[in-house]
Amino acid sequence: GYDSLHEKDQILFHLIAVFFNYENDGHVKTMLADSGLDVRLGLKTLAYKSLIKISSEGEVVMHKLLQQVGRQAIQRQEPWKRQILIDTDDIRDVLENDSVSFSFYF
């Protein structure tokens, strides 16, 4: 399911894996409102492909194994192509050296 996702839906998948697992869908939509992502449609797409569940209370839930897959997918990206930094060494390098150019979608 993940490989067949549109690039922006993959980004939303990564963001949920890192930041928004077990968060309310309204909160996710608010936090990403200016991101250029169609969060409403993206959440529906991810739920349709069974990559997340949205509870009756609106909680976005990603299974722990899928969350690990999302985090690993980020780590496999070339460092200069990552939209999300997870590793403390990568974060420190960027803050200390400011030598890497990252492309962010939001």
Side-chain angles (χ1 to χ4, degrees), residues 28-39:
V28 175
K29 291 172 188 173
T30 299
M31 294 300 294
L32 299 176
D34 295 330
S35 67
L37 300 173
D38 187 345
V39 179

Side-chain angles (χ1 to χ4, degrees), residues 4 8 11 16 19 22 27-31 33 36 38-41 54-55 59 73 75 77 85 91 98 101 106:
S4 67
K8 289 190 176 188
I11 293 166
I16 292 169
F19 300 112
Y22 296 103
H27 177 72
V28 175
K29 291 172 188 173
T30 299
M31 294 300 294
D38 187 345
V39 179
R40 184 188 57 75
L41 181 60
I54 300 177
S55 74
E59 184 178 52
Q75 292 300 104
Q77 293 173 340
L85 297 177
I91 295 168
D98 196 21
S101 171
F106 50 96

Side-chain angles (χ1 to χ4, degrees), residues 31-80:
M31 294 300 294
L32 299 176
D34 295 330
S35 67
L37 300 173
D38 187 345
V39 179
R40 184 188 57 75
L41 181 60
L43 290 173
K44 286 183 179 183
T45 300
L46 295 177
Y48 177 77
K49 293 187 177 264
S50 300
L51 296 171
I52 63 169
K53 290 183 182 181
I54 300 177
S55 74
S56 57
E57 294 83 28
E59 184 178 52
V60 177
V61 179
M62 180 182 285
H63 190 277
K64 293 290 182 188
L65 292 175
L66 288 172
Q67 190 173 21
Q68 284 180 330
V69 167
R71 289 171 175 254
Q72 289 170 354
I74 293 168
Q75 292 300 104
R76 283 193 305 270
Q77 293 173 340
E78 297 295 334
W80 58 88

